[in-house]
Amino acid sequence: MGDVSEVEKRWALYDRWGPHALMAVALLLAVVTADDLEMSRAARVATALLALAAVVLDLSWQRLTRGPSVAGACHYFTRWAIGFALTCLNPFFGVYAVHGYFSADRQLPRRLVMTGLYATAVVMALSNVGGPAQLRSWGPGWAVYAVLVCMHMGLVHLFAHLAAKEQAQAEAQAALITELERTNAALQQALDENAALHSQLVVQAREAGIADERRRLAAEIHDTIAQGLTGIIAQLQALETVDDPEVVRAHVARAARLARHSLGEARRSVRNLAPVDLEHDALPAALRRTVLDWSERTGVRADFTLTGASRELHGELAATLLRIAQEALSNAARHATPSRVGVTLSFIGHEVMLDIRDDGTGFDPRVPPPRTGSGGFGLDGMRARAERVAGSLSVESEPGLGTAVSARVPLVDHD
């Protein structure tokens, strides 16, 4: 828009001063060449009057509304007639008549533009041939004039065609730019919607994970602690009807064992809900310590590796990956009897990957091992944990060739 405005300003400046400048040059040339062309006194007076009329006409047009219109057509062809008459008196007035080429498309309605240009070509050809006097005094003058008229009209047609083609290209480019802007706006809107949807999915996954963890904790309390408390109550109630000290000690011992077991289950449930290892350390440090503790406890060599630029993860993601690592290491110790274990945490683009590999006995993934009574969740539990935070878990294993557990979750920074 700024370029178009600048062009319009320049054309407006030309419309104001251009015709007067061309008339001044034409008058100067006419005065210099009047004697050589043997202009009569009457011709000189007519020239002066016509030049004055042209100036008055141009000044009056500047006070009218601009743009293609009927008034513009009247002004254009009146000025053309004056220019034609002046050129007949002195061919150097073609300098003034050439203004018709520059103003046709801005004064004439579209259907009259070519007519105005062809009319200006007639005047310019007359100026080139030297005016009507030369046509009368020179034998082939009219033939030359006809050729010049055709040449000027041909050039007018050629330049008009090129101008129309350029205008069409400019309009096509403008339409393309408009379409690209619309497409970019739609794409930006889609990106914003996708970002909002991703945030919503993460929030939903977090809420679903919290709900699942609450259900899991409720089930564990029901299956372990509540049953243990029920057993303790039963042992203590049995004491009301027993007098034998040995039997009493046996009931008390059973109640104590149940209490200790229930306390252990309660502590384990609390640790699973809020990992203590993440209270003061980020996930990489917590994993490194977990792997070291597991190695010291089992006597199996275990190595931890961190790849990529470490970032502080959202608490749910960090807890999920830590629990998966703990469960995978626990499974390896219980079932695989490995001689070496490797744990790798990788930050790759917008994802975080956790890989746990061992060289143990392996198994057939199509026949997963049965759930144990030790409180572990097994492969299904680890997979459920990953899916609760919009992640995934895969297992690769063969009998005798070890096991590889890989968890992948989206990278969501800590709030």
Side-chain angles (χ1 to χ4, degrees), residues 19-20 23 27 44-61 74-75 78-83 85-86 93 96:
H20 304 311
M23 177 58 76
L27 281 173
R44 298 186 185 193
V45 172
T47 298
L49 293 176
L50 289 172
L52 179 61
V55 172
V56 172
L57 182 67
D58 289 331
L59 290 174
S60 64
W61 170 248
C74 293
H75 173 266
T78 302
R79 189 183 61 214
W80 174 86
I82 294 174
L86 288 171
F93 276 101
Y96 171 74

Side-chain angles (χ1 to χ4, degrees), residues 208-238:
I210 294 174
D212 289 345
E213 195 71 5
R214 287 174 177 173
R215 287 193 293 269
R216 182 194 65 78
L217 184 58
E220 288 192 359
I221 291 174
H222 177 270
D223 295 338
T224 59
I225 301 175
Q227 291 183 7
L229 292 176
T230 301
I232 293 171
I233 293 173
Q235 296 298 325
L236 295 178
Q237 288 177 341

Side-chain angles (χ1 to χ4, degrees), residues 60-98:
S60 64
W61 170 248
Q62 292 178 2
R63 293 183 174 85
L64 299 176
T65 303
R66 305 293 178 84
S69 61
V70 175
C74 293
H75 173 266
Y76 182 91
F77 286 111
T78 302
R79 189 183 61 214
W80 174 86
I82 294 174
F84 179 79
L86 288 171
T87 304
C88 288
L89 295 172
N90 188 314
F92 286 102
F93 276 101
V95 173
Y96 171 74
V98 77

Side-chain angles (χ1 to χ4, degrees), residues 358-363 396-404:
D358 67 65
D359 60 356
T361 58
F363 65 96
E396 296 181 2
S397 182
E398 289 186 23
L401 297 179
T403 302

Side-chain angles (χ1 to χ4, degrees), residues 212-353:
D212 289 345
E213 195 71 5
R214 287 174 177 173
R215 287 193 293 269
R216 182 194 65 78
L217 184 58
E220 288 192 359
I221 291 174
H222 177 270
D223 295 338
T224 59
I225 301 175
Q227 291 183 7
L229 292 176
T230 301
I232 293 171
I233 293 173
Q235 296 298 325
L236 295 178
Q237 288 177 341
L239 296 178
E240 297 177 355
T241 59
V242 175
D243 295 329
D244 187 348
E246 293 296 331
V247 176
V248 170
R249 281 195 294 272
H251 283 293
V252 172
R254 292 192 191 99
R257 284 198 303 272
L258 288 173
R260 284 193 294 270
H261 177 74
S262 298
L263 179 60
E265 291 295 333
R267 289 173 175 172
R268 183 185 62 79
S269 298
V270 171
R271 285 197 301 271
N272 286 339
L273 184 62
V276 177
D277 294 333
L278 294 174
E279 287 184 357
H280 305 291
D281 295 320
L283 178 61
L287 282 173
R288 190 182 304 276
R289 187 170 57 254
T290 297
V291 172
L292 180 61
D293 292 343
W294 182 88
S295 178
E296 293 177 351
R297 186 171 64 253
T298 61
V300 177
R301 177 181 174 181
D303 301 312
F304 173 75
T305 304
L306 173 65
T307 63
S310 176
R311 294 170 61 177
E312 187 174 1
L313 297 178
H314 187 276
E316 286 292 325
L317 297 179
T320 296
L321 293 176
L322 180 60
R323 289 307 184 202
I324 290 175
Q326 291 172 339
E327 185 68 21
L329 291 172
S330 177
N331 289 341
R334 289 197 305 268
H335 306 296
T337 61
S339 62
R340 185 174 180 179
V341 174
V343 178
T344 302
L345 180 66
S346 304
F347 290 82
I348 304 174
H350 298 288
E351 292 183 327
V352 184
M353 293 185 60

Side-chain angles (χ1 to χ4, degrees), residues 392-409:
S392 61
L393 184 134
S394 61
V395 179
E396 296 181 2
S397 182
E398 289 186 23
L401 297 179
T403 302
V405 177
S406 178
R408 183 191 301 262
V409 299

